[in-house]
């Protein structure tokens, strides 16, 4: 058996003839002890795949990158210079989607996908583990009465939450949502929430808080033909309000008033955040829209969300912090939202992420900018 | 942007002409809202893949299962009757390994892999979430001085660990290892440790305890040509002893004496468990060998592990419980170990898992049988 298992290990094709390209290093997203995918300081991604019988192979990574075949059966490609940050990709081999066997797997792109990361450099230390006290990223199951099924919540608790001296101390809560096609595993893994929170809390830059992440995919299912975008996004609201918040307030030591509850979300989750917080000002007092797929029509400004935007003074007293972020390389429907709110007297903070696209480095930066203003 | 994203959703090929096979249901391992992989009550797995241009496609799942192409470009296959439980698989399309896009991804098979599960039926309720108090499966980073890198530990804490009244209560610890090719994510995900522990603790069948899971892949790397199997397995020992145990005893409320520390592991991790516990009787007093890739040569019985097996009386006083488990459908080198130990007067419990192979249902059952005897 042992011999058999070791035999399996050695079935891996022999190393390619092509030497590793100079000036490159292995992507942070590669599996342990692999050589590819690689990146360089000029923001290129280097891929390879063994497919000796294939006729046509390309990489799908924000556009198609053709691969080139060597006589030994290995295909290679190099991307154009990419925005810094995290980019999903897959290979397409004679029409079939192929996941890179050398890469870790991330929840996203409508399934499980490989990804490469162009590092931010030392500025990215805020999302890497450091020698500071570490909180826990926890997984807990909970029964959703609304969905009538078991679901999974990811819950970050700060280091001090577990200290015996704090055994009766209560904490504020941030509900944090992923984007379309991803799920509750996305912020913990590619979002690196625990590292970001550990580092900010250790530096005294934000208050210790609980961060709760759930799948926003409820009720109406993704990919349902003819699905109404608004109805699909809205299907998360009753699950959050009726099932998740009561579960978290029961299972964790939380402060349960609106002054100690925040919500933020990215892209599609930003739309959910806007819709839910504006419809439930009794429950939330902090709002974060990260590259949000949402906007407000000016001709409906005074009526939308039960007219909550019509009275700017009342709104500004109610909401303690309203954050809107966009990357300079992305185009989202929320692009004009900050100006529109400001024009109507609604206080908000706009943050522009330099050089980043609709991807995870943008959202890691937003989280880092957002949470210091909470609670 | 929204329109673009929804457009992507609809690029998914139209549903196949072939109706869903009668008497089948979606595997528990499929991604949400997918139709495949499927299983039936006769322990078959049903697969499909869209690959209109491919010439030769098969499934690699404990042997090769040829796939058959329909005129619409979809390929189908049905397995032979499988052992109940969890089976890794992948497609091979014209020589290229393809991960099933409809399936969740699991750490294993030398990368990230799909898997299907033949359910045990209602007897499997012990590894499914139930309406009982739930502990947390936590992820924490820690610095390994020995490996000189950040590593990740998965730590199960029982429900009562978080109750304020227990804020100064200390708990015993089980260190639990995965098999070759897998990692610290395997027991939490495919092993369903949190559900098993939650259910046993709620039923009063085992003591509340902390369960700690780490990657056993250290030092010498898997896949290194000419690697010595023993040296590879042994490379985990200093990391566990010097880095992990001190970290867990510092970060969690643990009982730190040998009477409150257990170790168990499956397959290759069973070999590590045997080697480490027999070499460190000062640290461990409970041992679980799950389908272990280990044995003891009778002609070395009195000398191996510094002669710890030579004095059965002393051994039986030292180790409170010694568990050896094997599935009836698997062949492992530890098959004769229980008899050999018994013949030499060493007390041990042998448990045979009926109808299961070298796979996760076997190991879920062993965990359920093992932990009630701890502490």
């Amino acid at each position: 058996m042992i011999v058999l298992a070791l035999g399996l290990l050695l079935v891996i094709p022999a190393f390619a003839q092509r030497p590793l390209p100079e000036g490159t290093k292995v992507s942070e997203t590669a599996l342990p002890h692999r050589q590819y995918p690689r990146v360089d300081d000029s923001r290129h991604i280097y891929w390879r795949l063994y497919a000796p019988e294939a006729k046509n192979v390309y990489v799908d990574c924000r556009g198609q990158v053709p691969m080139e075949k060597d006589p030994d059966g290995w295909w290679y490609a190099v991307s154009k210079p990419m925005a810094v940050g995290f980019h999903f990709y897959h290979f397409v081999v004679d029409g079939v989607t192929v996941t890179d066997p050398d890469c870790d797997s991330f929840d996203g792109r409508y399934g499980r996908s490989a990804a490469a990361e162009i590092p931010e450099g030392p500025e990215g230390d805020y999302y890497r583990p450091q020698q500071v006290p570490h909180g826990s990223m926890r997984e807990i199951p909970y029964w959703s009465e609304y969905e009538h099924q078991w679901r999974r919540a990811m819950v970050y608790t700060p280091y001090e939450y577990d200290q015996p001296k704090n055994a009766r101390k209560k904490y504020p809560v941030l509900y944090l949502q992923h984007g379309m096609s991803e799920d509750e595993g996305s912020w913990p893994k590619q979002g690196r929430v625990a590292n970001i929170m550990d580092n900010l809390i250790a530096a005294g830059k934000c208050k210790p808080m609980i961060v709760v992440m759930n799948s926003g995919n409820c009720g109406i299912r993704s990919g349902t033909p003819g699905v109404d975008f608004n109805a699909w996004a809205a299907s998360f609201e009753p699950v959050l309000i009726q099932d998740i918040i009561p579960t978290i307030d029961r299972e964790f030591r939380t402060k349960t008033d609106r002054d100690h509850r925040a919500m933020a979300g990215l892209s599609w989750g930003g739309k959910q955040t806007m819709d839910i917080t504006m419809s439930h000002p009794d429950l939330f007092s902090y709002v974060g829209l990260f590259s949000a797929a949402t906007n407000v029509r000016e001709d409906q400004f005074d009526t939308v969300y039960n007219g909550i935007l019509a009275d700017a003074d009342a709104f500004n007293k109610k909401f303690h912090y309203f954050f809107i972020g966009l990357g300079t390389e992305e185009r989202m429907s929320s692009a004009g939202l900050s100006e529109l709110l400001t024009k109507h007297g609604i206080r908000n903070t706009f943050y522009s992420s330099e050089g980043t696209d609709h991807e995870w480095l943008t959202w890691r930066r937003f989280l880092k900018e957002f949470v210091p203003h909470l609670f």
Side-chain angles (χ1 to χ4, degrees), chain A residues 246-360:
Chain A
T247 296
I248 297 300
D249 285 343
R250 187 180 65 243
E251 303 285 329
F252 293 88
R253 302 193 312 273
T254 60
K255 295 184 175 174
T256 60
D257 59 310
R258 71 180 290 283
D259 286 335
H260 294 93
R261 193 180 293 116
M263 185 172 181
L266 70 91
S267 193
W268 183 66
K271 174 179 170 52
Q272 293 178 315
T273 297
M274 181 72 173
D275 293 351
I276 292 172
T277 56
M278 294 301 98
S279 304
H280 296 276
D282 53 316
L283 293 178
F284 300 92
S285 63
Y286 296 87
V287 182
L289 306 183
F290 299 177
S291 311
T294 191
N295 208 340
V296 173
R297 279 176 53 181
E298 189 157 19
D299 64 351
Q300 298 179 345
F301 201 89
D302 289 346
T303 55
V304 71
Y305 301 124
N306 301 314
I308 197 170
L309 302 173
D311 184 342
D313 284 346
F315 189 96
N316 291 338
K317 281 196 193 95
K318 204 171 256 306
F319 288 95
H320 307 315
Y321 188 65
F322 197 110
F323 174 99
I324 299 174
L326 281 171
T328 57
E329 308 305 303
E330 61 179 331
R331 284 196 270 175
M332 292 302 295
S333 50
S334 54
L337 183 58
S338 175
E339 290 93 327
L340 183 66
L341 292 174
T342 302
K343 177 180 166 188
H344 287 262
I346 290 188
R347 197 176 52 231
N348 68 91
T349 298
F350 181 75
Y351 179 81
S352 177
S353 171
E354 187 58 37
T356 65
D357 205 338
H358 199 62
E359 48 88 1
W360 279 97

Side-chain angles (χ1 to χ4, degrees), chain A residues 26-281:
Chain A
V26 178
S27 169
E28 294 181 37
T29 58
L31 287 172
H33 324 315
R34 310 299 171 103
Q35 299 291 341
Y36 279 81
R38 304 183 72 81
V39 295
D40 67 18
D41 289 341
S42 309
R43 297 182 283 109
H44 300 92
I45 305 170
Y46 297 73
W47 294 281
R48 76 168 186 189
L49 178 71
Y50 188 68
E53 295 174 53
K55 299 282 178 290
N56 178 30
V57 182
Y58 64 88
V59 187
D60 183 336
C61 183
R62 298 180 186 276
Q64 297 185 5
V65 185
M67 298 192 86
E68 181 185 283
K69 187 183 185 181
D70 275 9
D72 59 6
W74 288 88
W75 296 73
Y76 294 87
V78 183
S79 75
K80 66 182 194 308
M82 306 292 289
V84 287
F86 181 96
H87 304 283
F88 285 116
Y89 71 88
H90 57 259
F91 301 123
V92 180
V93 179
D94 294 336
V96 177
T97 297
V98 174
T99 304
D100 188 347
D102 285 331
C103 191
D104 199 358
S105 172
F106 300 87
D107 299 5
R109 285 278 285 254
Y110 315 101
R112 297 291 176 261
S113 180
E117 177 144 358
I118 308 285
E120 210 179 352
E123 310 90 72
D125 282 349
Y126 72 88
Y127 58 71
R128 301 195 177 100
Q130 306 294 344
Q131 297 284 7
V132 298
H134 297 123
S136 289
M137 180 61 74
R138 307 172 182 221
E139 176 183 336
I140 61 157
Y142 65 94
W143 176 255
S144 168
E145 194 58 38
Y146 188 83
E147 291 272 286
H148 217 74
Q149 65 183 20
W150 287 97
R151 304 183 95 236
R152 179 178 83 135
M154 303 300 294
V155 181
Y156 169 83
T157 53
Y159 174 78
E160 67 157 72
Y161 186 90
D162 279 318
Q163 298 304 104
K165 67 177 179 193
N166 297 321
R168 295 183 189 277
K169 185 173 170 183
K170 299 190 172 193
Y171 292 83
V173 184
L174 164 62
Y175 290 86
L176 186 61
Q177 288 305 118
H178 60 86
M180 187 153 42
S181 90
E182 301 197 326
D183 65 24
E184 73 278 11
S186 303
W187 268 111
K189 193 164 187 180
Q190 49 262 43
R192 305 201 191 183
V193 167
N195 293 341
I196 294 172
M197 297 305 297
D198 284 348
N199 293 333
L200 288 172
I201 292 169
K205 288 183 180 163
C206 85
K207 295 218 168 56
M209 67 184 79
I210 295 169
V211 185
V212 178
M213 292 141 284
N214 281 273
S215 171
N217 303 296
C218 303
I220 297 169
R221 305 308 186 184
S222 62
T224 306
V227 64
D228 175 79
F229 180 77
N230 290 306
W232 178 27
S235 67
F236 178 56
E237 180 177 319
V239 178
L240 177 64
I241 306 296
Q242 297 171 32
D243 291 326
I244 296 171
I245 292 177
T247 296
I248 297 300
D249 285 343
R250 187 180 65 243
E251 303 285 329
F252 293 88
R253 302 193 312 273
T254 60
K255 295 184 175 174
T256 60
D257 59 310
R258 71 180 290 283
D259 286 335
H260 294 93
R261 193 180 293 116
M263 185 172 181
L266 70 91
S267 193
W268 183 66
K271 174 179 170 52
Q272 293 178 315
T273 297
M274 181 72 173
D275 293 351
I276 292 172
T277 56
M278 294 301 98
S279 304
H280 296 276

